[in-house]
């Protein structure tokens, strides 16, 4: 049984009942003190949209590269995600040029056929786990097809990927740090093998061909390819799970999705984004949100709270699939905005569009079960049925 109450508002987020819906807790934090110092994290915590946006778009005062604050960063952590300009510029441009060189339309057309086939197969079952049998395999197929490499075995990749995600919460649970560093190193070694024997197509082929002229260190290149694989998979699979849970547990939402596909995915991201938190370090004394942050102070951005800020979004607790404009921070902003955001959005739209069109009777069989992660929010299991409800009991 859960204890009646936890004193710490952030540790409290890990309680099962709050994992299901952390947004009222975020709202209480924002009302109590939208910018506050958290002793266990040793960090300033931001919960308002305007403050989070200000930090995300100001890499001069708020660094992703903690070496700028004197921190010793292990080599496996140096990548496009953790470097700042000018080092960041070279690797980001190389990857962006590689993204633009790909035939994304052909990739999506091929994947849409796979999505329809997989959903048709799952529709013949009494019920299935949407996370393990749809979101995870489809996301891994998608990101590896874009990279141009075979998909690794799910049984090997998924546990390692989850270890990396667990390590993102090491500020609260330090024992998760070392396993995550080791998992990142192993994934980087795996990604490095692609460069030794590159495929003939995909992002890896482009990067291998242009790496020598990019000025990017080999370690950073390997780590960045690992980051594309891992972040692409986790962002897409968790977004799919969260979005499907929102659609299938909100009355009328699946029907509304068919009517508003152009705006629906952005609203699903805002409503329950996979990326709930991000971190920076202050590199020069800065006043923000009524407090003075000193050089060297860590800053934690609760993007999930920012996406439900009533100062930025009308009726933020409501799922409004026609919401526009929708300036959510679900994939970040500024220099470190997610490289693959458009891919994850397109994939999610394809899966949910096929679900809504071909399987309008889809429904939840059980409550979604969430993983105990606070930085990246996602489901552990979600049992669903694609058959219309006939009133008969459905057994997994």
């Amino acid at each position: 049984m859960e204890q009646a109450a936890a004193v710490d508002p952030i540790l409290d987020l890990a309680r099962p009942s709050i994992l299901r819906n952390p947004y009222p807790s975020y709202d209480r934090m924002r009302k109590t003190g939208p910018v506050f110092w958290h002793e266990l994290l040793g960090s300033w915590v931001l919960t308002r949209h305007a403050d989070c946006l200000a930090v995300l778009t100001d890499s001069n005062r708020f660094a992703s590269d903690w070496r700028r604050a004197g921190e010793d960063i292990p080599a496996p952590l140096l990548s496009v995600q953790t470097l700042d300009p000018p080092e960041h510029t070279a690797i980001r441009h190389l990857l962006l040029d590689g993204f633009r060189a790909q035939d994304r339309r052909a990739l999506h057309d091929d994947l849409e056929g796979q999505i329809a086939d997989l959903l048709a197969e799952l529709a013949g079952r009494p019920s299935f786990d949407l996370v393990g049998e749809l979101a995870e395999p489809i996301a891994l197929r998608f990101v590896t097809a874009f990279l141009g490499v075979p998909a690794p075995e799910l049984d090997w990749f998924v546990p390692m990927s989850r270890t990396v995600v667990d390590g993102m919460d090491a500020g609260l649970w330090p024992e998760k740090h070392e396993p995550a560093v080791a998992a990142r190193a192993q994934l980087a070694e795996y990604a490095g093998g692609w460069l030794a024997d590159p495929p003939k197509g995909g992002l890896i082929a482009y990067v291998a061909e242009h790496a020598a002229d990019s000025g990017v260190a080999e370690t950073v290149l390997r780590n960045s390819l690992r980051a594309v694989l891992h972040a692409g998979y986790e962002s897409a699979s968790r977004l799919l799970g969260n979005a499907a849970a929102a659609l299938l547990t909100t009355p009328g939402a699946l029907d509304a999705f068919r009517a508003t596909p152009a705006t629906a995915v952005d609203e699903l991201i805002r409503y329950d984004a996979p990326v709930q938190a991000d971190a920076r370090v202050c590199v020069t004394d800065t006043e923000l949100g009524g407090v003075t942050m000193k050089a060297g102070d860590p800053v934690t951005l609760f993007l999930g709270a920012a996406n439900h800020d009533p100062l930025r979004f009308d009726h933020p607790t409501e799922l409004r699939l026609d919401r526009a404009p929708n300036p959510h921070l679900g994939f970040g902003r500024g220099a470190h905005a997610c490289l693959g955001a458009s891919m994850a959005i397109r994939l999610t739209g394809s899966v949910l569009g096929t679900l809504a069109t071909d399987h309008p009777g889809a429904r939840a069989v059980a409550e979604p079960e969430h993983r105990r992660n606070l930085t990246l929010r996602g489901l552990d299991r979600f049992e669903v049925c694609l058959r219309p409800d006939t009133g008969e009991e459905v057994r997994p």
Side-chain angles (χ1 to χ4, degrees), residues 50-129:
D51 295 334
C52 290
L53 180 62
V55 172
L56 289 172
T57 55
D58 188 351
S59 58
N60 290 324
R61 293 188 298 171
F62 298 97
S64 294
D65 188 343
W66 290 56
R67 295 176 301 175
R68 292 172 59 193
E71 294 284 337
D72 183 20
I73 304 300
L77 300 185
L78 297 177
S79 74
V80 66
Q81 292 178 319
T82 61
L83 296 173
D84 284 329
E87 287 178 278
H88 174 264
T89 305
I91 180 60
R92 187 173 179 89
H93 281 180
L94 175 62
L95 293 174
L96 279 175
D97 289 345
F99 270 65
R100 295 178 182 127
Q102 306 310 307
D103 187 347
R104 283 173 282 180
R105 181 185 293 255
L107 175 68
H108 280 286
D109 287 347
D110 179 64
L111 194 72
E112 284 186 349
Q114 296 183 43
I115 292 167
D117 290 345
L118 181 54
L119 282 170
E121 177 188 334
L122 294 170
R125 306 249 300 270
S127 69
F128 66 96
D129 173 22

Side-chain angles (χ1 to χ4, degrees), residues 253-323:
L254 196 60
D255 290 335
F257 185 93
R258 286 195 296 273
T260 58
T263 57
V265 175
D266 268 325
E267 173 65 355
L268 288 163
I269 296 169
R270 183 205 68 81
Y271 185 73
D272 199 19
V275 181
Q276 291 282 298
D278 203 353
R280 297 290 189 270
V281 61
C282 191
V283 293
T284 185
D285 291 2
T286 300
E287 185 173 339
L288 182 68
V291 305
T292 299
M293 301 175 182
K294 299 292 186 181
D297 284 354
V299 183
T300 299
L301 319 175
F302 273 173
L303 304 182
N307 286 336
H308 281 239
D309 185 350
L311 294 177
R312 192 65 187 88
F313 301 97
D314 292 335
H315 305 284
T317 62
E318 297 179 11
L319 180 65
R320 297 187 168 186
L321 296 178
D322 60 350
R323 189 186 298 270

